[in-house]
Amino acid sequence: MPKRSRAELGAARDKLIAARSEVTTRYLGGESAASLARSFGNVGEKWLADQLDAWDIPRRDRTAAMAVRGPQVTPPSEGART
């Protein structure tokens, strides 16, 4: 994959900043910072973490993220041994 220009990275970051409400809602709803960074054009996890700090959004560690998302257990398929 070719490296992006500064202008392309800046545009992706501007897009994320413009979607602050959506980003905040998704993050507080349990989506990971890594996933959000990817969905907005790989803006960079560190940069997004700094942005969340600037917006006074409390960041969470892996354990807290799991608590927010809750159990992601799917029921066994029919005929599967339990």
Side-chain angles (χ1 to χ4, degrees):
M1 173 178 257
K3 188 173 179 179
R4 291 181 298 171
S5 69
R6 285 186 186 266
E8 290 170 323
L9 179 58
R13 288 177 173 177
D14 288 346
K15 181 180 172 185
L16 184 137
I17 290 170
R20 176 181 178 168
S21 179
E22 176 190 350
V23 171
T24 301
T25 299
R26 288 169 58 183
Y27 183 75
L28 293 176
E31 189 168 347
S32 71
S35 174
L36 280 165
R38 284 189 305 271
S39 73
F40 280 89
N42 289 321
V43 296
E45 289 179 54
K46 168 81 170 87
W47 180 86
L48 178 54
D50 291 343
Q51 198 61 51
L52 291 171
D53 289 342
W55 292 341
D56 292 323
I57 305 300
R59 289 194 284 144
R60 57 184 183 265
D61 61 15
R62 190 176 299 249
T63 302
M66 293 300 292
V68 170
R69 283 194 297 261
Q72 300 290 318
V73 179
T74 57
S77 61
E78 287 187 37
R81 292 183 186 176
T82 56

